[in-house]
Amino acid sequence: MGQKQDTIGFATELETNIRLLNEHFNASDDVGIRAFHFHGMKGSLLYLITVTDKDKLQTDILKPLLQAKDGRLEGQQEGQLEDILPILDLERVTDLPTAAAGMLQGRCAILLDGRAELLMADASSSVVHSIAESKNEQTIRGSHEGFNDDASVNAQLIHRRLKNANLTERHFTLGSSSPTRVTLLYMCDLADMTIVNEIIANLLTNQAQFIKSPGQILERLESSHFSLFPQMLFSERPDSTAAHLMEGRIVLLIDGSAFATILPVTFFMFFQAADDFNVRWWNGTFFRFLRLISVVIGIALPSVYIAIVSNHFDILPIDLVFSLKASLENIPFNPLMEAMFMITVLELLREAAIRLPKSIASTLSIVGGLVIGSEVVNANLVSTTMIVVISLTAVASFSVPSHEMRLAIRLISFPIMIASALLGFVGIAFSFSLLFMHLSKLESFGVPYFYPFMPFKPSRILTALIQLPKRIFGGKASKRRLS
């Protein structure tokens, strides 16, 4: 279907205006029309059946119009529709595209004969979304509320937790042919307005005709499209989102997505969990430190094993050398091929478990973990030591709270394994040097990604790495900007 002209206005004839709107929607059966008389003038209601609440349409719009016709509402001036309709959201429209866009959002077009304008009244139907528990960010002692697919409901959940007059909300509609609502939230006294304005500018330049998914909007907000590391934090918890707002960050809510997008971000934000702040400080410190260790294990453990078996057998105790030699004796592949094979099998099982129904996914996990693992060893395709190494690596990566960071850790381990097979420990050291150089250079809306290590801030390192007791180390709250 071709694009409609943007300059089409309305005529003074009622039938002409009805025809223009009906043709704009290609005479769809979804267009509802209801004629009425108002103070001696012919009128008509036009609405889209699927997005309009019929009860609201009858009670708040049609009934007051018919009562005014019968003279049961006294003292009304002729033609003053705004005075008789008990609706807050009323707007006069003089062009066809604006009227059609309003009808797509559930508004009813009120047409009167002899007038070259319409009155748009809100009669939109709302789907009731239940507030369910977060599925991907579960906690033991925290809140059990989670976001849903309605951005307005998600914004309401945030407002309930953050009752502050400085919490500012901005609304945008993206996609010319299929409008998608986007809500931007920030604390105007804490957020960096330069970053806010940059995000708004990026959103407004998104002139795509159709918004197929939230990722189509978010990819424009990435500072580096070629980096493996995530540059936005996703959360489906209202309490965590409100906490980030109180730290001066900006939140994006997109209609159709049950996640809040938080930015700008730093590397160490991806290893914080909601439970860290609901338990005693030494418990939170232990688990956060454990997650940071799991990152090192997930990235380096397969590479270290490959480097030792391929190039550095001499650093191992003699008893362990004999044990490794025995397990590798009948394996026809080198350690790099073993690791690549096992990681590929693990990723296939993980992807299949995500896409399959839950009842089948649990069976697949048992088959993958027991049958495939044991038979691969029996067939002398992979050594038992490699099975242990890859299993520890998978468990370590799964302990990271952020799904996007888990994917990044698994992808980064591949080139480091290749470097370790070619150059041994020298290849690992060279790979980690490049990795730290990339992290030090990467930015998220001008905020250093590897903060507080780059730039180096000794006073912030402890709070980034571990959970410290607020009574001793918290100090007084102060106004802080992310810059």
Side-chain angles (χ1 to χ4, degrees):
M1 183 179 68
Q3 292 290 322
K4 306 295 180 183
Q5 296 181 6
D6 295 335
T7 58
I8 297 179
F10 290 109
T12 56
E13 294 82 12
L14 176 64
E15 290 76 12
T16 302
N17 294 336
I18 294 176
R19 178 179 56 80
L20 286 173
L21 281 170
N22 204 22
E23 289 178 354
H24 186 89
F25 291 102
N26 302 302
S28 172
D29 292 338
D30 191 35
V31 179
I33 303 176
R34 173 63 160 84
F36 66 92
H37 285 81
F38 179 75
H39 291 302
M41 293 183 293
K42 291 192 300 181
S44 185
L45 303 179
L46 266 73
Y47 57 93
L48 297 180
I49 299 172
T50 52
V51 295
T52 305
D53 189 337
K54 291 185 178 180
D55 293 333
K56 188 186 298 184
L57 188 66
Q58 292 175 359
T59 305
D60 297 342
I61 299 176
L62 186 58
K63 184 177 179 181
L65 289 174
L66 296 178
Q67 288 179 342
K69 179 202 73 170
D70 295 337
R72 284 179 289 208
L73 293 177
E74 300 294 337
Q76 302 291 346
Q77 297 179 3
E78 181 178 350
Q80 295 298 316
L81 293 173
E82 291 90 339
D83 295 336
I84 67 170
L85 296 178
I87 297 176
L88 290 175
D89 190 2
L90 292 172
E91 180 185 5
R92 289 195 176 272
V93 175
T94 58
D95 60 284
L96 178 62
T98 305
M103 292 177 63
L104 287 170
Q105 295 176 2
R107 294 185 177 186
C108 171
I110 305 175
L111 297 79
L112 289 177
D113 195 18
R115 296 192 178 182
E117 62 180 8
L118 311 180
L119 186 67
M120 305 298 296
D122 183 29
S124 58
S125 62
S126 58
V127 179
V128 178
H129 292 276
S130 59
I131 307 301
E133 183 177 357
S134 170
K135 295 181 180 180
N136 298 302
E137 297 178 75
Q138 297 182 1
T139 60
I140 299 175
R141 291 182 54 189
S143 170
H144 293 279
E145 281 186 345
F147 289 135
N148 55 42
D149 290 341
D150 193 331
S152 59
V153 175
N154 296 341
Q156 183 181 1
L157 291 174
I158 295 175
H159 277 278
R160 274 175 43 188
R161 293 188 170 274
L162 188 51
K163 302 178 179 68
N164 192 299
N166 292 318
L167 179 57
T168 307
E169 194 170 322
R170 296 283 183 262
H171 298 277
F172 305 92
T173 301
L174 306 181
S176 57
S177 298
S178 179
T180 300
R181 292 180 300 168
V182 178
T183 302
L184 182 72
L185 295 101
Y186 58 93
M187 298 289 289
C188 62
D189 60 331
L190 298 176
D192 190 336
M193 294 308 298
T194 303
I195 299 177
V196 173
N197 294 331
E198 186 178 350
I199 293 173
I200 292 175
N202 285 337
L203 291 175
L204 294 179
T205 55
N206 193 340
Q207 300 297 333
Q209 185 176 2
F210 291 98
I211 303 297
K212 299 177 182 178
S213 66
Q216 187 177 347
I217 299 174
L218 298 176
E219 68 177 358
R220 299 179 61 90
L221 301 176
E222 291 185 346
S223 301
S224 175
H225 296 284
F226 298 102
S227 176
L228 292 176
F229 291 96
Q231 296 158 58
M232 286 169 280
L233 180 63
F234 299 94
S235 177
E236 56 180 349
R237 297 182 57 85
D239 55 346
S240 298
T241 305
H244 285 293
L245 283 168
M246 288 184 280
E247 293 179 354
R249 297 184 179 91
I250 298 104
V251 171
L252 270 178
L253 301 176
I254 302 175
D255 224 14
S257 174
F259 290 85
T261 305
I262 300 162
L263 40 90
V265 295
T266 60
F267 177 77
F268 296 100
M269 285 173 52
F270 294 92
F271 306 101
Q272 299 177 4
D275 269 335
D276 293 348
F277 306 96
N278 297 321
V279 297
R280 298 190 65 185
W281 71 271
W282 44 269
N283 287 332
T285 296
F286 172 75
F287 289 113
R288 186 179 295 184
F289 191 65
L290 202 62
R291 294 187 204 107
L292 294 172
I293 293 176
S294 70
V295 177
V296 180
I297 294 175
I299 294 177
L301 183 59
S303 304
V304 171
Y305 174 77
I306 292 171
I308 291 175
V309 173
S310 301
N311 302 291
H312 303 285
F313 251 122
D314 52 331
I315 70 170
L316 296 177
I318 190 64
D319 294 337
L320 188 56
V321 170
F322 289 146
S323 176
L324 283 178
K325 285 290 187 182
S327 65
L328 295 171
E329 185 175 356
N330 297 320
I331 305 300
F333 305 112
N334 58 50
L336 177 62
M337 296 297 295
E338 287 185 77
M340 291 290 187
F341 173 73
M342 284 307 303
I343 291 178
T344 302
V345 171
L346 183 66
E347 292 299 321
L348 287 174
L349 290 173
R350 185 190 65 82
E351 188 68 16
I354 292 175
R355 307 304 167 199
L356 287 174
K358 291 184 178 180
S359 57
I360 305 177
S362 59
T363 304
L364 178 68
S365 300
I366 297 175
V367 172
L370 298 179
V371 178
I372 296 180
S374 61
E375 292 305 318
V376 162
V377 174
N378 293 334
N380 290 327
L381 296 176
V382 179
S383 65
T384 54
T385 310
M386 181 60 74
I387 293 287
V388 174
V389 169
I390 298 301
S391 299
L392 287 175
T393 304
V395 172
S397 66
F398 291 151
S399 66
V400 177
S402 171
H403 172 68
E404 289 73 24
M405 185 58 75
R406 288 198 296 266
L407 293 177
I409 290 172
R410 290 200 290 269
L411 289 175
I412 290 169
S413 66
F414 282 97
I416 299 180
M417 285 191 294
I418 296 175
S420 67
L422 296 175
L423 302 174
F425 287 148
V426 175
I428 296 177
F430 182 72
S431 300
F432 270 89
S433 298
L434 292 178
L435 183 63
F436 286 127
M437 289 170 59
H438 172 69
L439 288 172
S440 301
K441 185 179 178 182
L442 190 62
E443 291 184 349
S444 176
F445 286 96
V447 176
Y449 192 76
F450 209 42
Y451 179 84
F453 286 95
M454 182 59 67
F456 187 64
K457 299 287 185 181
S459 60
R460 298 288 300 167
I461 289 178
L462 283 179
T463 57
L465 296 179
I466 60 179
Q467 179 69 29
L468 296 173
K470 294 295 184 295
R471 178 180 297 180
I472 301 175
F473 298 96
K476 296 182 179 180
S478 60
K479 180 177 178 180
R480 183 168 56 117
R481 291 182 182 271
L482 284 171
S483 59

